[in-house]
Amino acid sequence: MAQQGNFKSPSRMSTLQEGVPVVSSGAVSGVKPREDGLKGVDFERRSFLGKAVAGIGAVVVASTLFPVVKYLVPPVKTLNTVSELVVGKASEVPVNSGKIYQFNNDKVLVINNNGTFTASTAVCTHLGCLVHWDSQQNLIACPCHGAKYKQNGEIISGPQPLPLKVYKVRVEGENLIIS
């Protein structure tokens, strides 16, 4: 026998469960109505579930993006700047040669020209190449574009716009101190 109509229709329910009152409005008897429960709150299941899913989605997106952003943004590197620093031993720089040392954020070329020590930045002011001491010509030379400087950092020739920054260097005992 084929069933016709709504399986849970009020007339069908009355035949299935004798003695249970049939309520056609769909409300459950014995439970207080919704209007008496939360006054002034528009609380629907669908809106609650939408907000819950959106909140969980936001947490998932944030927890996924945080490591990506931490990877892409480089950490801030703090370097203690000092006014004086022992960079090495005087014997490390042979006579008529130069050696590059790190001083704060700059690379410094220390030159030993017959026992006279001078120091200047080792970065060319033209395009940032590292310079070196040319002992045959007694000058600082940049291998990239032919810039030439005097031992005190002044420009001799080349495309560089500015002279080299000069540092003070002194020898105390065997230590080279740049300031």
Side-chain angles (χ1 to χ4, degrees):
M1 170 171 158
Q3 180 180 350
Q4 297 177 356
N6 187 357
F7 178 75
K8 293 186 178 181
S9 68
S11 61
R12 175 93 173 126
M13 290 298 287
S14 65
T15 60
L16 290 175
Q17 297 175 344
E18 297 295 326
V20 176
V22 177
V23 180
S24 62
S25 68
V28 179
S29 61
V31 178
K32 63 181 177 175
R34 174 177 256 174
E35 294 81 28
D36 292 342
L38 298 170
K39 293 188 182 203
V41 176
D42 183 23
F43 189 75
E44 294 181 10
R45 184 178 298 152
R46 185 169 294 206
S47 67
F48 169 73
L49 290 176
K51 291 175 184 174
V53 168
I56 292 170
V59 169
V60 168
V61 167
S63 64
T64 302
L65 286 180
F66 180 74
V68 172
V69 170
K70 288 292 282 182
Y71 176 75
L72 293 176
V73 175
V76 177
K77 191 174 186 180
T78 58
L79 183 67
N80 295 338
T81 57
V82 293
S83 60
E84 283 191 349
L85 181 67
V86 175
V87 293
K89 304 285 184 197
S91 60
E92 293 175 355
V93 186
V95 177
N96 295 327
S97 68
K99 184 170 181 180
I100 296 176
Y101 293 100
Q102 184 73 35
F103 178 69
N104 292 334
N105 288 333
D106 202 5
K107 293 186 185 308
V108 176
L109 175 65
V110 176
I111 301 165
N112 182 355
N113 190 6
N114 295 323
T116 305
F117 287 93
T118 58
S120 64
T121 182
V123 179
C124 181
T125 58
H126 178 230
L127 291 177
C129 298
L130 288 179
V131 297
H132 67 276
W133 174 249
D134 187 352
S135 59
Q136 293 175 351
Q137 298 180 17
N138 277 346
L139 54 84
I140 299 171
C142 178
C144 295
H145 298 103
K148 294 182 181 177
Y149 302 91
K150 292 182 182 177
Q151 188 173 353
N152 62 3
E154 293 178 14
I155 297 172
I156 297 174
S157 67
Q160 69 275 28
L162 299 170
L164 296 175
K165 181 179 176 183
V166 178
Y167 291 94
K168 294 179 184 176
V169 62
R170 69 179 192 274
V171 179
E172 285 186 5
E174 186 61 26
N175 294 329
L176 279 173
I177 301 172
I178 296 177
S179 59

